[in-house]
Amino acid sequence: MEGDGSDSLVTIRNIERELICPACKELFTHPLILPCQHSICHKCVKELLLTVDDSFNDVGSDNSNQSSPRLRLPSPSVDKIDRISRPGWKRNSLTPRTTTFPCPGCEHDVDLGERGISGLFRNFTLETIVERYRQAARAATAIMCDLCKPPPQESTKSCLDCSASYCNECFKIYHPWGTVKAQHEYVGPTTNFRPKILMCPEHETERINMYCELCRRPVCHLCKLGGNHSNHRVTTMSSAYKTLKCNGERAKEEAITHFEKLFEVLEERKSSVLKAIDASKKLRLDKFQTQMEEYQGLLENSGLVGYAQEVLKETDQSCFVQTAKQLHLRIQKATESLKSFRPAAQTSFEDYVVNTSKQTELLGELSFFSSGVDVPEINEEESRVYNNALISWHHPEKDKADSYVLEYRKINRDEEMLSWNETEVCGTSKMISELDNNCNYAFRVRAYKGSICSPCSRELILHTPPAPVFSFLFDEKCGYNNEHLLLNLKRDRVESRAGFNLLLSADRIQVGYYTSLDYIIGDTGITKGKHFWAFRVEPYSYLVKVGVASSDKLQEWLRSPRDAVSPRYEQDSGHDSGSEDASFDSSQPFTLVTIGMKKFFIPKSPTSSNEPENRVLPMPTTIGIFLDYDKGKVGFYDMDHMKCLYERQVDCSHTMYPAFALMGSGGIQLEEPITAKYLEYQKDM
């Protein structure tokens, strides 16, 4: 029966949205069923009626508040609500009573008729469910007493020293006056008991009593003696507390000092610019004053205007004519002088506008600097990831850095970032082991010089392969043709002797035979599980085929006369085959794709475009192959982006081998993590 109660509680919590009033957006209180079958709180119906009625009478428009019913309405006074809920209530004889309002749930008009609210039924079922929900919510949030006998009472306080919650009676019993427990520290009911003594997360029984300066985290003495911090610099917790607390204040003071210096420079420049403007302004005003006095004197002292007025009083014609000519010349000269007037100084201050665009841009880029230690940079070309990740970086001040700290973390499918893992490195590369398959990992590095740390480098995101690494070497004993192929001593690289096999078969070419493919396979077979391997095809390669083949198919290939085998006659995964259409639905004991002339050729398939231009891709720098033996599936990957380029079914009823074939000049190099030597290298690391 306990299980039934738990299920009921979960159900009640899941229906919370059904228990919310569409008007007030809170849990229903005395819900009423409207004619449209939606429920609404009793008080909300009254508020809506009063709001619509006020809008009708005060504004005279029925559209002034159309959107308001969906909003939380202000609560009217109690006497107004009581009046409007009484049957037959009217404000006055000329004002009809409002009984229509839009339903907040469906927005359809609801008409309560003559009876008004009195005609609505109360939703007792909904009211009961809401009450059960309230009780369940209270029970879920309540913190119960840890010491009560069943049934426990709700706690009133929690003891931080005992890490327990008590009701009033139990607290008095277990913390009696006059005892040590009476001095315990207690707070309100809580479930968050922070321990007064910090314990080590790696050694749960040990207290934290030291601070690692390199990793910048608290540690215990076991971490220092034989743990991950054995060679790190540590200090006492009190010393670290003082240093870290003062570091923040010191950094704050230094930042304030730098900004105050900037303010001083700005104030100095501001004062200088304002002084220059004031000086120019004074000089110009002086020039204007001199010019103004000069022209004022010309007008006042010459008396030309007064003299002209007196001449006009002359009545003798001959005398006036004699004087008028001279007067006309003087007036004309004075007028021309006024027409040629120019201000004695520049009136505009456009040449004194301050251009701060460059300085504003520089101030916008103001940031913290690296305290003298340059930021390392991860080398993406030299960094690679399989089950393990090899991360390499360079540093401008390589000789000056004492050590580095490489940080890495896994990125979940929903892009959630987990906490960073840290490892100290003395050189400029590090192997990180035991990474999960088919996951994204972020890597970054920072440099240390003494106690000074550089900022972290830009993050590098790498994607691990979809399966564990399958280690193998080229097999020089099974079908290897040493006349046409050249295998190095490590057996991790094979080359096709350019043109040599063509010369040997020159006579047969005249009668219509083609040059043969020379096969080479891995020295280890696969009989179960998921596996992944990678290799590089040299860019100069003419034609290379790569993939997987079963043991019975390999025997057929290697026993047949090579010179009589045509690459067109030979059936692979569908492309360059005369019977490619017939092979779509039938699972074959091999899958090979063609790579050559810096191109990757996708075979034909019924589910993808078979146009030639859509089947030719640039050749990836590194190619990966993923074989799922149990599901009979093989995929070909671009390792630079960990992207699957082509995938198909393959018959895995026999032992499967990595298979390769070359024609013309070409070369294949297995990636170092794939070769058997990698196992020894990993052991040495």
Side-chain angles (χ1 to χ4, degrees):
M1 295 301 291
E2 293 181 359
D4 294 339
S6 176
D7 294 342
S8 176
L9 179 60
V10 173
T11 303
I12 287 292
R13 290 179 177 175
N14 288 340
I15 64 172
E16 180 178 359
R17 69 176 62 182
E18 302 295 332
L19 310 181
I20 301 297
C21 174
C24 62
K25 306 302 180 184
E26 296 179 356
L27 291 176
F28 282 108
T29 304
H30 305 305
L32 301 178
I33 302 176
L34 300 179
C36 61
Q37 299 305 308
H38 288 97
S39 294
I40 187 172
C41 296
H42 185 269
K43 60 181 178 62
C44 293
V45 177
K46 295 179 180 180
E47 291 176 4
L48 287 171
L49 284 173
L50 183 61
T51 303
V52 175
D53 187 73
D54 285 341
S55 175
F56 177 83
N57 289 280
D58 297 338
V59 182
S61 173
D62 60 356
N63 61 0
S64 62
N65 204 20
Q66 289 180 350
S67 60
S68 62
R70 284 200 169 273
L71 303 175
R72 181 70 187 275
L73 300 174
S75 298
S77 60
V78 176
D79 58 336
K80 285 186 177 182
I81 293 179
D82 290 340
R83 289 200 309 271
I84 200 170
S85 60
R86 292 194 205 98
W89 174 84
K90 296 181 181 180
R91 288 192 174 188
N92 53 59
S93 59
L94 299 178
T95 305
R97 176 187 166 204
T98 302
T99 60
T100 302
F101 63 91
C103 170
C106 62
E107 298 184 352
H108 288 96
D109 288 340
V110 175
D111 189 355
L112 301 184
E114 289 296 326
R115 297 193 60 191
I117 298 177
S118 302
L120 298 178
F121 288 99
R122 191 169 170 180
N123 194 337
F124 286 102
T125 302
L126 179 58
E127 195 170 338
T128 303
I129 296 174
V130 169
E131 183 58 31
R132 283 207 304 265
Y133 174 82
R134 293 182 189 275
Q135 294 176 359
R138 285 195 296 269
T141 57
I143 299 176
M144 310 308 291
C145 177
D146 294 325
L147 280 303
C148 277
K149 294 181 180 180
Q153 300 296 316
E154 187 172 341
S155 64
T156 58
K157 54 179 67 72
S158 296
C159 178
L160 298 181
D161 295 273
C162 301
S163 297
S165 298
Y166 301 86
C167 63
N168 284 330
E169 295 302 323
C170 289
F171 187 81
K172 294 177 183 178
I173 294 173
Y174 290 95
H175 296 77
W177 288 104
T179 64
V180 177
K181 286 190 174 183
Q183 307 300 321
H184 283 187
E185 182 181 359
Y186 63 90
V187 294
T190 182
T191 57
N192 183 20
F193 297 100
R194 187 180 66 179
K196 288 196 171 184
I197 301 175
L198 195 61
M199 309 303 289
C200 178
E202 298 183 9
H203 309 93
E204 297 180 357
T205 59
E206 300 297 328
R207 295 182 178 182
I208 292 293
N209 54 8
M210 289 180 286
Y211 182 82
C212 178
E213 294 182 347
L214 183 60
C215 300
R216 295 185 293 180
R217 58 175 294 183
V219 296
C220 70
H221 72 284
L222 292 182
C223 293
K224 173 60 179 172
L225 291 177
N228 298 329
H229 308 268
S230 56
N231 297 322
H232 296 182
R233 296 181 298 275
V234 298
T235 185
T236 62
M237 193 63 71
S238 59
S239 175
Y241 173 79
K242 293 178 182 178
T243 302
L244 292 174
K245 191 137 188 175
C246 296
N247 280 348
E249 293 300 322
R250 184 165 57 251
K252 187 176 180 180
E253 292 174 359
E254 291 177 356
I256 292 174
T257 301
H258 286 297
F259 278 101
E260 287 178 348
K261 289 181 179 179
L262 287 176
F263 294 151
E264 290 176 2
V265 174
L266 289 173
E267 285 294 336
E268 181 183 350
R269 295 304 302 157
K270 174 184 175 182
S271 176
S272 176
V273 168
L274 293 180
K275 285 180 180 179
I277 294 175
D278 287 339
S280 178
K281 177 182 176 181
K282 185 177 183 303
L283 181 62
R284 297 182 189 190
L285 288 175
D286 290 343
K287 290 182 179 181
F288 287 141
Q289 183 66 30
T290 302
Q291 188 181 35
M292 185 179 68
E293 291 175 356
E294 178 183 349
Y295 278 87
Q296 186 69 29
L298 179 65
L299 291 174
E300 293 178 356
N301 299 328
S302 65
L304 182 60
V305 175
Y307 176 68
Q309 290 175 348
E310 292 299 324
V311 171
L312 290 174
K313 296 178 182 179
E314 178 63 49
T315 59
D316 187 87
Q317 296 180 356
S318 59
C319 292
F320 179 81
V321 172
Q322 183 184 12
T323 308
K325 183 178 180 181
Q326 183 185 9
L327 180 61
H328 175 73
L329 292 174
R330 292 184 63 186
I331 293 176
Q332 185 179 10
K333 184 177 179 180
T335 304
E336 290 176 353
S337 175
L338 292 174
K339 286 182 178 179
S340 61
F341 173 80
R342 295 289 184 273
Q346 179 73 20
T347 58
S348 172
F349 280 82
E350 292 179 355
D351 52 336
Y352 281 88
V353 176
V354 179
N355 183 7
T356 61
S357 57
K358 183 177 180 180
Q359 289 74 15
T360 303
E361 182 179 355
L362 290 174
L363 288 174
E365 297 175 354
L366 191 66
S367 61
F368 296 105
F369 70 105
S370 59
S371 304
V373 182
D374 288 340
V375 182
E377 182 179 353
I378 296 180
N379 189 331
E380 296 187 24
E381 295 181 356
E382 296 180 4
S383 300
R384 57 184 61 90
V385 62
Y386 293 94
N387 298 111
N388 303 337
L390 175 63
I391 308 299
S392 300
W393 58 90
H394 22 152
H395 192 216
E397 297 185 355
K398 177 180 178 183
D399 297 332
K400 297 182 180 180
D402 299 334
S403 61
Y404 301 90
V405 169
L406 177 63
E407 299 181 342
Y408 64 97
R409 64 181 176 184
K410 182 179 176 181
I411 305 175
N412 288 346
R413 299 287 183 185
D414 54 357
E415 300 298 322
E416 178 186 358
M417 296 288 192
L418 303 179
S419 59
W420 289 99
N421 299 292
E422 297 182 352
T423 178
E424 185 181 12
V425 186
C426 294
T428 56
S429 65
K430 179 66 176 179
M431 183 75 71
I432 304 297
S433 305
E434 298 179 356
L435 301 180
D436 295 337
N437 297 321
N438 198 25
C439 293
N440 283 317
Y441 282 87
F443 301 88
R444 68 185 187 187
V445 64
R446 63 179 186 269
Y448 276 89
K449 185 173 68 174
S451 59
I452 302 176
C453 170
S454 77
C456 289
S457 67
R458 182 175 58 87
E459 292 184 16
L460 173 65
I461 308 295
L462 295 177
H463 192 103
T464 56
V469 166
F470 178 60
S471 298
F472 66 91
L473 294 172
F474 287 120
D475 193 346
E476 84 283 14
K477 298 178 181 179
C478 180
Y480 169 62
N481 183 357
N482 56 12
E483 294 181 356
H484 295 173
L485 300 179
L486 179 62
L487 189 62
N488 67 349
L489 294 178
K490 292 182 179 180
R491 294 195 290 123
D492 63 350
R493 180 181 178 85
V494 62
E495 294 182 357
S496 176
R497 299 187 181 183
F500 190 68
N501 53 350
L502 184 63
L503 292 174
L504 293 177
S505 58
D507 294 338
R508 286 176 288 278
I509 290 178
Q510 294 177 359
V511 295
Y513 284 94
Y514 293 87
T515 306
S516 64
L517 283 166
D518 293 299
Y519 288 91
I520 188 168
I521 64 174
D523 61 357
T524 307
I526 298 173
T527 57
K528 63 179 180 179
K530 299 178 181 179
H531 304 276
F532 185 89
W533 60 94
F535 52 88
R536 298 191 305 274
V537 174
E538 297 297 342
Y540 63 81
S541 300
Y542 173 68
L543 191 149
V544 174
K545 294 198 175 191
V546 297
V548 295
S550 65
S551 54
D552 61 332
K553 188 63 180 179
L554 287 171
Q555 292 177 6
E556 176 186 334
W557 284 345
L558 299 176
R559 285 176 183 174
S560 60
R562 293 184 192 83
D563 294 335
V565 176
S566 163
R568 175 157 183 84
Y569 171 78
E570 182 181 343
Q571 202 176 44
D572 58 5
S573 58
H575 72 282
D576 70 32
S577 170
S579 58
E580 56 191 9
D581 294 333
S583 66
F584 281 147
D585 299 327
S586 60
S587 181
Q588 300 177 6
F590 67 95
T591 292
L592 301 173
V593 298
T594 302
I595 300 166
M597 297 176 285
K598 298 183 181 181
K599 302 295 182 182
F600 183 96
F601 299 90
I602 297 180
K604 289 184 178 181
S605 68
T607 59
S608 63
S609 174
N610 291 321
E611 296 298 327
E613 60 272 13
N614 296 327
R615 295 171 51 206
V616 179
L617 303 176
M619 182 178 71
T621 305
T622 306
I623 300 169
I625 296 182
F626 166 48
L627 176 64
D628 188 338
Y629 186 94
D630 301 329
K631 293 185 178 180
K633 184 180 296 184
V634 62
F636 298 83
Y637 282 73
D638 176 357
M639 286 292 293
D640 292 337
H641 307 93
M642 199 56 68
K643 176 183 178 182
C644 184
L645 303 177
Y646 174 65
E647 185 180 69
R648 67 157 289 158
Q649 294 295 125
V650 62
D651 181 8
C652 293
S653 56
H654 295 79
T655 303
M656 304 299 291
Y657 288 86
F660 307 85
L662 299 92
M663 186 175 73
S665 60
I668 301 173
Q669 173 70 54
L670 298 178
E671 282 285 277
E672 183 180 7
I674 308 304
T675 64
K677 293 293 183 182
Y678 176 69
L679 300 177
E680 299 177 6
Y681 173 72
Q682 183 185 20
K683 188 175 181 181
D684 293 340
M685 290 297 293

